[in-house]
Amino acid sequence: MARRTKVATGATALALAVGGIVVVTTTGTPDAARADGADKSFFIDITKVPRGNNVNLDLAKRGARGTFTVDCGRNENGHFNGDNFIAQPGVRNGAEHLHDYVGNLSTNADSNNKSLLRAGTTCKNGDKSAYFWPVVRINTEEEEENEAANEEKLAADRVDAAKDEAGAQVDCPDVASELDEVPDQAMPAVDENLDNLDRESENANNQLAQGKQAGQVLDELKNKRKPSIKQIGDTMRQAGKPVAKNEDQLAGCAVKQNGEGGLDNGGDNSNVNAAGDAEKKKSDGKAADLPGADDNNEIGNNEGEIQRAEKVDLTFTSGGARRVVAMPKFLRVLYGDAKQSTNGPANARPSWTCTGFEDRLTELYPICPRGSKVTRVHSFPNCWDGKNTDSANHRTHIVFSDRNGKCPRGFKNVPQLRITLVYNIPPEIQAAGQYAVDAFAQEKHNPRSDHDDFANVMSQRLMNQLVKCVNSGKRCRQ
């Protein structure tokens, strides 16, 4: 009998094509036989975890105290897939487990800078960034039959945007990331000109798509960018915060084919995309076509009832730094290691706790006291190398600060993204060890394999506001 999955909120099956992706939600009575559940040794009573081992709380007591929280919902529209365009671009079901998405509505295996920019978003402030993490499931030992009338296939054609996204696009310096802290009196003029820069880049991309010669587009774009960059420079100089980089250099742009944007400044990203290009699979986009997936989002050995987070908190902090600088647009950042059993423990981090016990984090699944809820906390790397938006291993371009919030030599403190996910998992399920995070088969649902992914697609203006909130000590919500 096929095992069935249902979203915990009880929504009906839905295939929704938005911004170039099929968004699906499933329903039905779950047949959640625990054929390959998590090992009982992976669970721990949270009250037995020592206090004071949450480095995030230590860093919160240092440096700038401001925060910037983005409201992107809880994946109410049911955006799931087994893809990962950062780690395995172009590979359908490359993750071999299911991801929960908020933010950008188009995120799938073929996502690139251009497709992400064109898409809609679930974020209330218009942030088009992609935020995604593996789902959590409940997997009990009872088998239940599903009546045929309640079975609904996850069958909807994927919108094939690959042809549209195969063309060239402009690659311009990220001016916001070159600015020192922007004083209040300079903020309106700087924001207006950052908006102008984004609009000019978008117009240039449209001209390329219409077949205009790249050289002509770049010449015109440079001339259009110069006045805005000069006004930003003049404004910052008047405020006593001069822009260090040459304005003429900031005005110049290049043209890249989609798929070349992983490394900036002439970096070679052949290693980043080689595996995806070699193994890219053709499909009509139906869930049943994913290797190891049945028709209800149970991929590989990941079985059971999907638990949508009761609360999703996306907050940017200083990460303990006295001040932060802007992240560049299209920066890719990974948290944790989905293949820690193969790669070793270096990138795995304790991610689990319970509400009311945030002073402690554990590498194991927590068993929470009654009234307390299972929580995942993912605090991302926050020291950027100052030039690359990605690297061959997706890690060396952005690393963690030390316990004092300081970055390695040559790296800059950028805002630290902290994603907090709270789940309403029944106490008896926790005690029985019947919940687990989706994972690669070799991980056997090890909680140490928990991970998270982020691609920054904020406008430069929005990123500038974020930096201002963090550095000024304000607590901003959008």
Side-chain angles (χ1 to χ4, degrees):
M1 182 183 298
R3 292 185 170 84
R4 303 298 176 196
T5 304
K6 71 173 183 180
V7 173
T9 55
T12 58
L14 175 65
L16 175 61
V18 181
I21 188 169
V22 173
V23 181
V24 293
T25 305
T26 62
T27 187
T29 305
D31 171 3
R34 198 159 173 265
D36 193 11
D39 191 305
K40 293 294 181 65
S41 67
F42 289 160
F43 291 80
I44 189 171
D45 183 341
I46 193 65
T47 62
K48 296 180 180 178
V49 177
R51 295 179 178 177
N53 63 343
N54 186 341
V55 66
N56 306 315
L57 294 181
D58 294 339
L59 290 172
K61 300 174 184 177
R62 303 177 184 275
R65 303 294 180 86
T67 60
F68 188 90
T69 300
V70 185
D71 184 356
C72 299
R74 302 181 300 111
N75 192 17
E76 289 89 344
N77 59 330
H79 183 168
F80 301 112
N81 62 47
D83 302 344
N84 189 326
F85 74 93
I86 298 177
Q88 293 172 300
V91 181
R92 291 290 311 282
N93 192 33
E96 299 177 20
H97 53 264
L98 203 65
H99 282 134
D100 236 329
Y101 289 89
V102 298
N104 199 285
L105 285 168
S106 71
T107 316
N108 61 21
D110 299 319
S111 291
N112 55 43
N113 296 346
K114 185 176 180 181
S115 68
L116 293 170
L117 272 178
R118 293 191 315 186
T121 179
T122 66
C123 301
K124 291 183 178 179
N125 66 350
D127 175 14
K128 294 187 178 184
S129 299
Y131 306 84
F132 56 105
W133 52 85
V135 301
V136 167
R137 301 178 192 260
I138 287 178
N139 198 357
T140 65
E141 294 181 348
E142 294 183 3
E143 293 189 359
E144 300 179 10
E145 292 185 3
N146 285 325
E147 296 182 5
N150 291 330
E151 293 183 359
E152 299 183 39
K153 292 183 179 180
L154 305 177
D157 292 333
R158 184 185 296 268
V159 177
D160 187 6
K163 292 181 181 179
D164 291 339
E165 298 161 9
Q169 61 178 324
V170 295
D171 180 36
C172 299
D174 194 278
V175 176
S177 65
E178 298 295 336
L179 301 180
D180 203 341
E181 183 173 356
V182 182
D184 287 336
Q185 67 270 25
M187 185 68 75
V190 170
D191 279 348
E192 180 180 356
N193 283 286
L194 289 176
D195 280 346
N196 290 340
L197 293 176
D198 283 340
R199 280 194 294 270
E200 295 299 344
S201 294
E202 184 177 351
N203 290 337
N205 283 328
N206 290 336
Q207 291 174 346
L208 289 174
Q210 293 167 7
K212 193 170 183 178
Q213 290 296 317
Q216 184 178 354
V217 170
L218 290 179
D219 287 342
E220 294 176 358
L221 178 59
K222 185 173 183 177
N223 291 331
K224 291 176 181 178
R225 285 172 59 86
K226 280 183 177 180
S228 293
I229 292 173
K230 185 178 186 304
Q231 289 183 38
I232 290 174
D234 291 344
T235 302
M236 293 296 287
R237 280 188 287 273
Q238 292 170 9
K241 299 284 186 178
V243 181
K245 201 160 187 178
N246 182 281
E247 292 179 6
D248 198 57
Q249 290 179 330
L250 291 175
C253 303
V255 170
K256 290 185 178 181
Q257 293 297 125
N258 281 322
E260 294 180 2
L263 299 178
D264 287 347
N265 299 328
D268 177 9
N269 70 338
S270 57
N271 291 333
V272 178
N273 289 327
D277 292 339
E279 297 186 30
K280 188 169 183 179
K281 298 177 176 63
K282 299 292 183 180
S283 169
D284 67 359
K286 296 180 181 179
D289 294 325
L290 300 178
D294 63 11
D295 62 356
N296 56 24
N297 272 340
E298 290 187 340
I299 299 176
N301 71 334
N302 298 291
E303 300 169 346
E305 179 183 333
I306 297 170
Q307 302 299 292
R308 181 176 290 138
E310 182 179 83
K311 178 182 179 182
V312 174
D313 183 279
L314 311 176
T315 295
F316 293 85
T317 74
S318 72
R322 287 183 296 177
R323 60 179 300 279
V324 298
V325 300
M327 289 180 180
K329 188 180 287 187
F330 306 126
L331 178 69
R332 270 74 161 153
V333 196
L334 304 183
Y335 168 87
D337 193 341
K339 294 184 177 180
Q340 59 85 39
S341 66
T342 302
N343 298 333
N347 294 310
R349 299 177 70 85
S351 305
W352 301 88
T353 187
C354 300
T355 55
F357 294 84
E358 289 84 358
D359 61 341
R360 62 200 79 186
L361 287 175
T362 175
E363 295 180 338
L364 302 177
Y365 295 119
I367 300 173
C368 306
R370 195 167 290 275
S372 177
K373 297 182 179 181
V374 172
T375 303
R376 300 158 76 186
V377 182
H378 301 153
S379 291
F380 284 67
N382 58 322
C383 292
W384 172 49
D385 69 5
K387 57 180 180 179
N388 294 309
T389 56
D390 202 354
S391 49
N393 65 358
H394 313 296
R395 297 184 187 277
T396 53
H397 66 295
I398 185 162
V399 299
F400 283 99
S401 63
D402 65 18
R403 296 185 73 90
N404 294 313
K406 294 183 179 179
C407 290
R409 184 180 299 274
F411 284 72
K412 302 179 179 182
N413 284 101
V414 294
Q416 182 175 48
L417 170 61
R418 184 186 66 220
I419 296 182
T420 304
L421 309 168
V422 179
Y423 296 87
N424 189 17
I425 297 175
E428 60 273 16
I429 296 294
Q430 298 178 42
Q434 293 177 329
Y435 77 93
V437 68
D438 264 26
F440 284 97
Q442 67 267 29
E443 295 301 325
K444 299 180 180 178
H445 302 291
N446 192 322
R448 295 180 183 88
S449 70
D450 196 13
H451 58 282
D452 213 323
D453 300 76
F454 167 66
N456 173 40
V457 197
M458 290 188 188
S459 68
Q460 292 187 77
R461 179 175 185 173
L462 185 57
M463 177 56 65
N464 203 38
Q465 292 174 356
L466 187 163
V467 169
K468 186 68 175 178
C469 285
V470 170
N471 287 338
S472 65
K474 295 179 181 178
R475 297 187 178 275
C476 305
R477 288 185 171 271
Q478 293 192 7

